[in-house]
Amino acid sequence: MPAKTYFTIALPLLALFLFSGSSTPAGDPAAAEYRFHEPDRGWVARALKKMTLREKVAQLVKIRVPGRFLNRRSPEYLEIEDQIRRNGIGGVILFAGNVYESALLLNNLQAASDIPLLVSADFERGASFRIADTTSFPWTMALGAAGSDEFAYQQGAITAREARALGVHWIFAPVVDVNNNPDNPVINIRSFGEDPALVARLGAAFIRGARDRGVMTTAKHFPGHGDTAVDSHIGLAVIPSDRARLDAVELVPFKSAIDAGVDSIMTAHVAVPQVTAEPGVPATLSPKILTDLLRDSLGFGGLIVTDAMEMGGITTKFWTGLAAIRALQAGADMLLLPPDNDVAINEVVRAVQRGDIPQDRIDRSVERVLMIKTRLRLHKERMVPIDRIDDVVASPESRKLAQEMAEGSMTLLRDRQQLLPLDVINPPRIYSLVLSSDLDASPGATFQAEMRARFPAVRTASLDPRTPEDLVSGIVKNASEAELVVIATIVRVVSGKGNVALPPNQQAVIERILAAGKPVVWVAFGNPYILSLFPQLPTYMCTFSYSDVSQSAAAKALAGEIAIGGRMPVSIPGHSSVGEGLAVARRNMTLGVPSREKAELWATAFQATRSMLESHVRDGAFPGAALIVGYKGEMVLEAYAGRFDYDAGSPAVTGDTVYDLASLSKVIGTTSAAMMLAESGRLLLATPVQDYLPEFKGENKDRVRVEHLLRHASGLPAWGALYRESRNREDFLGKVYAIPLEYEPGTRMVYSDFGMILLGEIIERASAASLDRLVAARLFGPLGMTSTLYNPPRALLPRIPPTEDDPWRRRVVRGEVHDENAAAMGGVAGHAGLFGSARDLTRFAQMMLNRGIYDHVRVFKQETVDRYTGNTVGSAGNQALGWRKPSAANWTGAVFSPSAYGHTGFTGTSLWIDPQRQAFILLLSNRVHPTRQNQKIDEVRRGISESVMRVLSTQQGTPGR
């Protein structure tokens, strides 16, 4: 076998063996991080000595490789391999692709090279700039809007870790151009902003973060590409600055980058005629820029690398061979992407041979490159362990931080009608339109999905330049019928495109929509300068990015889920200045606490209610009780009276006292679980119960629907002492299945524990989870209800009052369910078993008032809450789905509005929620202690509720939230 063939096969196998137990993993956060090492000068000297002139020149060339799968015998792969084997090029630049394909390809290419390859990539906003499924960061200008050094540092650090995990050693980032030209078609949101000090500060922080994780960094594009209106991918851009202006503006971030230890500086294909006196010569080919200014004046000793030599800023005036020679003569160390590698290498070799480039000039650059390879330990370990990638790339911690960066960048420039944040509880009819300046199958898909998650009734649409007129007319019509229109524009920065503008046909569509006079909220994804097209816009928010995290952040900002606090990192001439931005607080969707002044007013207003609660304790209605009233998003009454029992030394009741909730379990636990499963399609209310419970057999039972169980209209009796005869849960359920119906299903409403017991079993079968675990994971956990649970552990016992001195169990029951049937079922049942504290349950109550959302965590869809708590069509009695409704037959009809809903519990608990009045009343007690013969609870509930509602009705002028 030829030696080189053996080397190609053996090296990957050897690397796999070595890395399978390596103590220096690539990017593994749990082990040693990547870091720079002292250069191995001996290896560098030996390598240089062995190289021919052509091999040395080839070390200064980088070629393009895709980050996608390539068959080893494909023409594309063979061409890349040929450049590595035959020419011995020094490195490759990774372009668009995927995670594992990139790593595998780079490992294969490393194996094909005698000298380790230096792998680079344009990871300007993290690896996601090129590689899918890596941590998605917002664009650079978004970091400028957030203004956080820590964000910039962390983005650099995470980018470095993911780069090294993929096999990338050198990132062409950060962009430190000062974007002070609004018409710049190629830099734009790739820059931190137009303030040189801001760009310098954040650029240096990024560099420090990346270098701390062992990745080479690049400050680009020297001497500055921000003040141009020409894309250097297409033609030669001109910077109108003299040296004084460069020192004051463009060079400020580069000086800061050098101080921060930046490893390389990339040249710009821009002319600086006031400095070079050569209007047709780009900086890349100018010794006055690269040597006199960068090396000598600024004292940069690192690697100088050209921008892509295939770009129009070079190729329109200089042929490949001459451009390569001129770049090296100017002071560049590495040539990126020559249009023809062989031509570039050949001509540089000829230039050295004829004395146009000194031999030692080539040697110095090659030595710099080889030194870097040893500092990265590539001469020791050039492969990356594939099996560790999934522990590093796109980690939950990295994704969370990236999302926080995007959220911190949201910048509200205008909100003249004070539209933000939008009301997510009772939202207007919203029409959300996304316009993309490029052809796009589903522009703004993440934004629209996030909008639908927060505003379920929102109508969405999208436009790109090819949208036909008939669809455009429909969009304009739909927008005119909405109560509020959200217009989001995605104007991308694309190399070689030549502009960052909104197409004229889309501008015309927007004019037609604005003419309808509806309130408009404009979200600028990407290019922030388009406000100048529509200066009349009353509400304008910039994200400076169109990455998915920025789209998500924008929807959160509109909904008030996050505060808006970004500041403009650029000016929009005639409309805004650097540093502007309105502050909008996060919308409070919890149960808040009134201000001190308001709290004093409420305390006075509820004095009679507090006295009433205390008098009920004295009268023996219960040993103690907790009463909390929520009103317009605030806890306006928090009253606790009495003790756990009638012993004077027992603990006093507090908001953290955990009570047996009894039949409140039916609505808080079982009905909530039914709502969740109905939303997911696992629970079908119109389906026969027998479809879920075939054991439920008997006359007319085939006619019982799941909905009948929720409406207490199943035909089942109210209650029975099955616990006396049941051996275990299954035996108990068997007895419930066998109970005969007492009336035709759907014809009457008879409140039944047995119906809810069956519903609990259906929920467990439909979800493949026990009822207690289901609601803990899906309801109580997300709401932060840490003291609401079935079968409380013994550690919670000191917070739980006793219930009854139970004749069946022959002891005082405490910390175990009071209901005997629920006890026979093991403490978890559809009709009883929950324990909870007053403070916990206020979260649930406020969530229901918020129509399914609490602290911006959506638990139920709005329509689900409305359906389950509203008047059920065709229902008999005062019954919604699970919940009770106010009735003219008792006191509730006179106290609560028709929209109210509530429930009571046998142990002395109750919860009534009144959406019309934006209020809830929660009362917890253990009135069955020591005996259930105490029947004063109905009088208590009525008196307390009437007292509370009198106060609320007379305090309408008291501010809510």
Side-chain angles (χ1 to χ4, degrees):
M1 179 183 294
K4 200 153 192 175
T5 303
Y6 176 81
F7 180 80
T8 303
I9 296 173
L11 189 54
L13 296 176
L14 177 62
L16 183 62
F17 171 79
L18 291 175
F19 277 97
S20 62
S22 172
S23 60
T24 311
D28 185 351
E33 293 277 9
Y34 278 114
R35 59 186 175 85
F36 291 118
H37 298 262
E38 287 298 314
D40 188 335
R41 299 183 184 278
W43 183 88
V44 171
R46 291 191 296 273
L48 269 172
K49 187 175 182 180
K50 293 178 181 177
M51 286 183 185
T52 65
L53 173 61
R54 181 179 177 81
E55 289 172 335
K56 291 177 180 179
V57 172
Q59 280 293 301
L60 308 183
V61 174
K62 275 181 169 284
I63 65 172
R64 178 194 313 265
V65 298
R68 53 184 172 80
F69 172 77
L70 293 179
N71 184 281
R72 284 175 177 264
R73 290 180 287 114
S74 67
E76 188 172 2
Y77 182 87
L78 292 175
E79 170 60 25
I80 296 169
E81 188 179 53
D82 176 66
Q83 289 294 328
I84 292 171
R85 291 184 184 280
R86 180 174 55 83
N87 277 333
I89 55 98
V92 297
I93 306 173
L94 184 68
F95 280 79
N98 302 292
V99 172
Y100 285 102
E101 287 86 342
S102 297
L104 286 168
L105 177 64
L106 293 175
N107 275 355
N108 288 337
L109 296 181
Q110 290 284 15
S113 180
D114 287 333
I115 294 178
L117 297 170
L118 188 57
V119 181
S120 309
D122 283 303
F123 287 175
E124 291 179 14
R125 60 176 185 92
S128 62
F129 194 75
R130 292 294 187 219
I131 307 300
D133 299 321
T134 55
T135 300
S136 175
F137 287 102
W139 284 68
T140 305
M141 191 172 284
L143 291 185
S148 167
D149 288 29
E150 180 64 17
F151 278 166
Y153 177 92
Q154 291 296 341
Q155 189 184 73
I158 294 169
T159 300
R161 287 176 51 197
E162 295 193 356
R164 293 303 303 261
L166 297 172
V168 174
H169 321 111
W170 180 10
I171 58 175
F172 294 147
V175 174
V176 295
D177 298 309
V178 179
N179 197 81
N180 47 16
N181 189 328
D183 296 324
N184 194 313
V186 66
I187 301 301
N188 201 280
I189 59 173
R190 295 168 64 196
S191 164
F192 288 109
E194 72 174 64
D195 177 7
L198 174 72
V199 176
R201 176 166 58 84
L202 298 183
F206 181 98
I207 290 165
R208 288 192 297 270
R211 297 190 80 252
D212 283 351
R213 300 304 185 275
V215 157
M216 286 181 60
T217 53
T218 308
K220 63 184 187 183
H221 306 81
F222 190 83
H225 203 325
D227 193 9
T228 68
V230 174
D231 184 350
S232 55
H233 292 82
I234 299 173
L236 181 63
V238 177
I239 297 292
S241 300
D242 58 15
R243 176 60 193 270
R245 158 65 186 261
L246 284 179
D247 282 332
V249 180
E250 280 84 4
L251 297 185
V252 172
F254 287 100
K255 294 174 183 176
S256 178
I258 292 170
D259 290 342
V262 72
D263 305 278
S264 66
I265 290 180
M266 180 182 287
T267 68
H269 302 330
V270 298
V272 195
Q274 294 194 55
V275 176
T276 65
E278 297 175 309
V281 177
T284 299
L285 309 185
S286 171
K288 293 181 180 180
I289 299 296
L290 301 192
T291 299
D292 297 349
L293 178 56
L294 182 54
R295 284 282 187 221
D296 299 338
S297 180
L298 299 187
F300 178 61
L303 205 64
I304 298 178
V305 57
T306 72
D307 205 342
M309 300 295 287
E310 63 188 9
M311 291 165 58
I314 295 291
T315 59
T316 54
K317 292 191 176 182
F318 300 90
W319 77 283
T320 299
L322 179 60
I325 293 169
R326 291 282 299 269
L328 293 174
Q329 288 175 329
D333 293 303
M334 293 204 80
L335 308 174
L336 304 190
L337 308 181
D340 189 306
N341 302 309
D342 286 284
V343 168
I345 294 169
N346 290 342
E347 294 308 311
V348 170
V349 168
R350 290 189 180 103
V352 174
Q353 290 172 339
R354 52 174 192 263
D356 293 344
I357 302 177
Q359 173 75 48
D360 64 348
R361 168 69 187 82
I362 299 296
D363 288 347
R364 285 198 304 274
S365 290
V366 176
E367 185 178 18
R368 285 193 182 101
V369 172
L370 295 180
M371 285 288 191
I372 286 170
K373 291 182 179 184
T374 65
R375 292 199 66 204
L376 293 163
R377 301 284 288 176
L378 300 184
H379 65 309
K380 300 289 185 181
E381 300 172 359
R382 66 175 74 180
M383 306 294 191
V384 293
I386 302 300
D387 62 341
R388 291 199 175 105
I389 290 176
D390 59 2
D391 190 44
V392 176
V393 174
S395 71
E397 297 80 11
S398 297
R399 292 166 64 90
K400 181 176 182 291
L401 190 55
Q403 186 64 56
E404 291 173 358
M405 293 176 188
E407 292 170 6
S409 71
M410 297 296 108
T411 303
L412 185 63
L413 193 54
R414 292 180 182 172
D415 191 18
R416 293 170 180 167
Q417 298 171 322
Q418 295 187 321
L419 298 177
L420 300 184
L422 303 178
D423 188 350
V424 297
I425 299 175
N426 297 294
R429 294 194 309 275
I430 300 173
Y431 191 69
S432 180
L433 174 65
V434 176
L435 300 96
S436 172
S437 61
D438 300 290
L439 298 181
D440 195 329
S442 55
T446 298
F447 174 69
Q448 299 289 47
E450 296 283 354
M451 286 292 288
R452 287 190 292 269
R454 289 159 180 82
F455 306 97
V458 66
R459 300 183 66 183
T460 61
S462 60
L463 275 172
D464 69 14
R466 63 186 172 189
T467 304
E469 176 56 32
D470 58 334
L471 291 181
V472 170
S473 297
I475 286 171
V476 173
K477 179 178 181 294
N478 290 335
S480 68
E481 295 172 350
E483 293 176 331
L484 181 141
V485 180
V486 174
I487 297 178
T489 48
I490 298 180
V491 181
R492 292 181 172 87
V493 178
V494 179
S495 299
K497 180 181 176 183
N499 67 76
V500 278
L502 201 62
N505 63 331
Q506 292 189 352
Q507 295 182 39
V509 172
I510 294 172
E511 293 285 6
R512 291 167 63 183
I513 292 174
L514 295 179
K518 296 299 177 73
V520 171
V521 174
W522 189 298
V523 181
F525 291 115
N527 183 8
Y529 300 103
I530 56 174
L531 173 62
S532 59
L533 297 175
F534 302 97
Q536 73 272 35
L537 287 170
T539 302
Y540 188 78
M541 187 175 78
C542 296
T543 71
F544 311 100
S545 170
Y546 39 80
S547 62
D548 53 356
V549 288
S550 297
Q551 294 187 37
S552 175
K556 291 179 179 180
L558 297 188
E561 188 172 334
I562 58 173
I564 303 175
R567 293 290 182 265
M568 291 294 292
V570 294
S571 60
I572 303 177
H575 303 290
S576 73
S577 302
V578 171
E580 288 188 20
L582 302 175
V584 179
R586 184 177 189 265
R587 181 187 175 98
N588 179 30
M589 298 197 70
T590 63
L591 186 66
V593 178
S595 66
R596 178 179 299 180
E597 180 182 358
K598 287 168 60 178
E600 291 174 354
L601 292 174
W602 285 119
T604 301
F606 280 117
Q607 186 172 351
T609 309
R610 289 178 180 273
S611 297
M612 183 181 299
L613 186 68
E614 292 167 357
S615 70
H616 286 308
V617 172
R618 291 193 298 269
D619 293 344
F622 32 61
L627 172 65
I628 295 182
V629 176
Y631 179 61
K632 293 186 175 180
E634 292 182 341
M635 188 186 301
V636 295
L637 174 61
E638 186 177 14
Y640 309 109
R643 299 181 177 278
F644 281 21
D645 57 33
Y646 291 106
D647 186 337
S650 70
V653 173
T654 71
D656 294 322
T657 300
V658 176
Y659 281 100
D660 183 328
L661 302 181
S663 285
L664 284 187
S665 305
K666 292 181 173 72
V667 288
I668 295 172
T670 309
T671 300
S672 294
M675 294 164 72
M676 296 172 192
L677 296 183
E679 285 187 351
S680 67
R682 295 187 181 191
L683 185 68
L684 307 175
L685 299 192
T687 295
V689 169
Q690 287 183 348
D691 282 10
Y692 291 98
L693 305 174
E695 303 94 330
F696 183 61
K697 298 176 180 178
E699 184 178 358
N700 273 345
K701 288 186 178 179
D702 60 327
R703 301 176 62 184
V704 181
R705 302 292 188 263
V706 174
E707 184 174 353
H708 291 148
L709 304 180
L710 281 161
R711 291 202 287 117
H712 294 279
S714 64
L716 288 165
W719 182 83
L722 300 186
Y723 63 91
R724 298 183 186 277
E725 307 165 358
S726 300
R727 299 184 302 275
N728 51 44
R729 179 184 177 88
E730 291 305 316
D731 185 44
F732 185 95
L733 285 171
K735 288 179 169 56
V736 178
Y737 299 146
I739 295 173
L741 302 185
E742 294 185 343
Y743 59 92
E744 185 177 343
T747 61
R748 292 159 53 192
M749 195 281 282
V750 174
Y751 183 82
S752 172
D753 279 1
F754 293 134
M756 297 303 288
I757 288 171
L758 291 181
L759 181 59
E761 178 64 13
I762 289 172
I763 287 168
E764 294 199 347
R765 295 192 185 190
S767 65
S770 63
L771 179 61
D772 57 336
R773 292 184 179 179
L774 176 66
V775 293
R778 298 278 302 279
L779 179 65
F780 305 144
L783 290 179
M785 297 171 63
T786 57
S787 300
T788 305
L789 70 172
Y790 296 85
N791 288 327
R794 290 188 61 83
L796 207 58
L797 198 60
R799 291 169 53 191
I800 304 175
T803 52
E804 190 173 25
D805 187 352
D806 184 14
W808 175 52
R809 280 170 276 199
R810 298 180 181 179
R811 53 186 166 80
V812 174
V813 176
R814 182 179 183 187
E816 57 181 306
V817 63
H818 172 261
D819 183 275
E820 296 92 343
N821 283 336
M825 294 183 67
V828 181
H831 71 297
L834 263 183
F835 286 73
S837 69
R839 286 183 181 150
D840 248 21
L841 295 181
T842 60
R843 293 171 173 261
F844 177 85
Q846 189 62 45
M847 178 273 294
M848 294 297 288
L849 268 181
N850 291 348
R851 298 175 71 195
I853 190 169
Y854 185 83
D855 200 16
H856 295 279
V857 174
R858 181 161 292 285
V859 178
F860 304 121
K861 296 178 182 176
Q862 292 177 353
E863 57 266 33
T864 302
V865 175
D866 294 346
R867 179 183 182 189
Y868 276 72
T869 62
N871 292 310
T872 305
V873 177
S875 67
N878 58 326
Q879 185 67 41
L881 291 174
W883 291 90
R884 309 303 300 272
K885 297 291 292 182
S887 172
N890 59 48
W891 62 269
T892 58
V895 174
F896 300 112
S897 73
S899 68
Y901 52 94
H903 213 283
T904 60
F906 187 77
T907 54
T909 60
S910 63
L911 172 62
W912 277 94
I913 300 171
D914 195 330
Q916 183 174 316
R917 295 191 174 100
Q918 301 181 55
F920 69 80
I921 303 173
L922 172 67
L923 177 66
L924 301 183
S925 76
N926 55 335
R927 68 96 186 173
V928 295
H929 184 76
T931 172
R932 70 184 67 187
Q933 301 307 314
N934 180 352
Q935 297 293 327
K936 297 179 181 180
I937 191 63
D938 285 340
E939 177 187 346
V940 173
R941 289 170 178 151
R942 176 174 184 162
I944 292 291
S945 298
E946 289 175 342
S947 176
V948 168
M949 286 305 179
R950 275 196 303 270
V951 172
L952 296 185
S953 65
T954 59
Q955 298 292 320
Q956 293 298 321
T958 300
R961 80 182 128 180

